[in-house]
Amino acid sequence: GQGVDEPLSDTGFRQADAAGVFLSNVKFTHVFSSDLLRAKQARKNMFCKDLEIKHDARLRERKYGVAEGRPLADLKAMAKAAGEQCPSFTPSGGETLNEVRERARDFFEFLCQLAVEAGQNKQVAHSAASNSLRTSEVESVFPWTDHCGEQELNSGNSGASKQLDANILVVSHGAYMRNWFVYFVSDLKCTLPTTFTKSQLSSVSPNTGVSHFVIKLDKENILRPEINCVCLNQDSHL
């Protein structure tokens, strides 16, 4: 939750280090992190050593109210007593799933606007070709593309993805990200890998799990982008 702002454990630091090595060659243009301590401590890893990490409260874990700091069994017992099931149950003082999804929507729309502005700035500077990540570079630095067996980023788009104006790393939390992914699929009709199951969408990411989305923005309607999920909750680095 949000109220218990504990640091990473020794295991957590080892997992964060492994994720850092896994992503060490990815050329990110922006890095955002939850402002909770366990997410902020990712800054020690090499994948963001040359970038300013911007901390945003909209990326915090779901708020669990009176259940925070207590065992998961207690939350399940509260839900059962209320005639509900996790994760849809909302403890007293906690956030509903809709409230979490609204936070995710607000932050994602902010990212869409950021990406459009990044593209416009490059056009103004007449240096898009030298500053953008070309498809060949993207294929060589994303380590999980081959693991997922998905189409390469330059296929079937008539050159639309030959350049990336923004390549954004977002560091957040399990329950929050699960709601964000549901928003992608239910509201924005995100395309999922062919081998994907609904149970995978509803599962919480393992610690330092990596998910990869390719997002094509329509500048005439930037809030309704085309989204393709390349990989979800990848943990081969652990």
Side-chain angles (χ1 to χ4, degrees), residues 126-188:
H126 301 289
S127 59
S130 60
N131 289 339
S132 295
L133 292 179
R134 293 198 175 277
T135 303
S136 59
E137 293 180 288
V138 174
E139 291 169 0
S140 67
V141 299
F142 279 108
W144 54 87
T145 302
D146 291 340
H147 298 166
C148 302
E150 288 302 297
Q151 296 179 353
E152 298 294 345
L153 300 185
N154 64 341
S155 61
N157 285 329
S158 302
S161 60
K162 287 183 179 178
Q163 296 180 354
L164 296 181
D165 294 318
N167 192 26
I168 303 172
L169 173 67
V170 177
V171 182
S172 187
H173 309 270
Y176 176 88
M177 291 188 295
R178 177 174 58 190
N179 280 277
W180 192 348
F181 300 159
V182 170
Y183 159 66
F184 272 5
V185 173
S186 62
D187 292 17
L188 299 181

Side-chain angles (χ1 to χ4, degrees), residues 166-230:
N167 192 26
I168 303 172
L169 173 67
V170 177
V171 182
S172 187
H173 309 270
Y176 176 88
M177 291 188 295
R178 177 174 58 190
N179 280 277
W180 192 348
F181 300 159
V182 170
Y183 159 66
F184 272 5
V185 173
S186 62
D187 292 17
L188 299 181
K189 310 306 177 187
C190 172
T191 301
L192 298 172
T194 55
T195 57
F196 206 73
T197 64
K198 288 185 177 180
S199 62
Q200 288 175 282
L201 182 64
S202 61
S203 63
V204 175
S205 173
N207 288 341
T208 69
V210 178
S211 297
H212 176 199
F213 295 88
V214 177
I215 299 169
K216 179 182 175 183
L217 295 174
D218 179 355
K219 293 182 180 179
E220 300 300 319
N221 187 9
I222 66 171
L223 301 185
R224 303 298 299 182
E226 177 184 315
I227 306 178
N228 175 48
C229 175
V230 177

